[in-house]
Amino acid sequence: MAEREDKNNYRNPSQDVFKGLWEAKVVIAIAFIAVFVRLSHTNEQPTTVPTAQVITTSEVANYPDELIGKTVAVRSRPLQRVGLSSFTVSDRRFFGGEPILVVNASGRPFDLPSDRENIIQVTGEVRNLAIAQIERQYNLSLQDQYYRDYINKPVIIARDIRLAPDSTAITLR
């Protein structure tokens, strides 16, 4: 009888190894599923920038009728802040370039770089500045006194603002 109990308690070492591997596969599969689910839900907002025609600020200033309503991307130097949610950009380093107003409608604050030599990329729709209409459409509060010089001029309503990728390769006039 003692011999029979020994046979029932005997385990094959290869069965233990296979059982351990099976359990490891299950744990690894669960970990992969958890990582996949986490990665697919980390960003609420899309990180891709809308496809846009890359142009210069001079083109916005000189050909506004052709660009109104179109989404464009501009790589330029920031000039100065205008109000709480806007700033100007220009691709002309010295005299002659008319600055273009950029209204930040991205929903994320953007601090102008302290080094004005840094190039930023702005992607958004070209529009004529109509303060009341833009405030309603984008839920913004623009202070009229800062925007008097830009009324009925082309502006970019920015949906994405960032430091320009590989800005060292960009040479602006």
Side-chain angles (χ1 to χ4, degrees):
M1 189 134 177
E3 191 175 306
R4 186 180 249 180
E5 287 179 23
D6 286 343
K7 281 187 179 181
N8 289 339
N9 289 334
Y10 174 74
R11 290 188 183 177
N12 184 350
S14 63
Q15 287 178 338
D16 287 340
V17 169
F18 287 121
K19 185 178 178 185
L21 286 175
W22 176 254
E23 290 172 358
K25 286 182 193 178
V26 171
V27 169
I28 291 171
I30 291 172
F32 274 133
I33 291 169
V35 168
F36 178 73
V37 168
R38 175 72 177 146
L39 288 176
S40 65
H41 288 66
T42 52
N43 293 329
E44 297 290 323
Q45 295 180 338
T47 57
T48 58
V49 178
T51 304
Q53 176 185 2
V54 179
I55 62 171
T56 65
T57 59
S58 297
E59 289 174 285
V60 175
N62 295 330
Y63 307 105
D65 294 336
E66 289 85 9
L67 296 171
I68 296 292
K70 293 186 180 174
T71 298
V72 298
V74 172
R75 291 182 178 182
S76 186
R77 287 187 177 83
L79 295 179
Q80 69 181 35
R81 183 158 296 285
V82 177
L84 297 174
S85 59
S86 304
F87 56 92
T88 57
V89 293
S90 178
D91 56 351
R92 299 282 177 148
R93 192 170 200 174
F94 303 105
F95 313 108
E98 185 174 339
I100 298 298
L101 181 69
V102 174
V103 176
N104 183 357
S106 69
R108 295 177 305 275
F110 182 78
D111 292 325
L112 295 179
S114 57
D115 180 2
R116 297 296 183 195
E117 293 302 310
N118 284 337
I119 307 298
I120 61 172
Q121 180 170 313
V122 174
T123 304
E125 183 182 353
V126 177
R127 308 232 341 229
N128 278 324
L129 181 62
I131 294 174
Q133 184 182 34
I134 291 171
E135 285 179 325
R136 271 192 314 275
Q137 188 171 356
Y138 295 100
N139 196 25
L140 296 172
S141 178
L142 304 177
Q143 303 81 13
D144 291 356
Q145 70 270 21
Y146 296 116
Y147 297 95
R148 286 188 185 118
D149 294 339
Y150 304 100
I151 302 242
N152 293 323
K153 290 187 178 181
V155 299
I156 299 173
I157 309 299
R159 302 304 281 169
D160 184 72
I161 306 169
R162 60 182 69 194
L163 288 176
D166 193 23
S167 62
T168 56
I170 299 171
T171 305
L172 300 177
R173 295 172 277 227

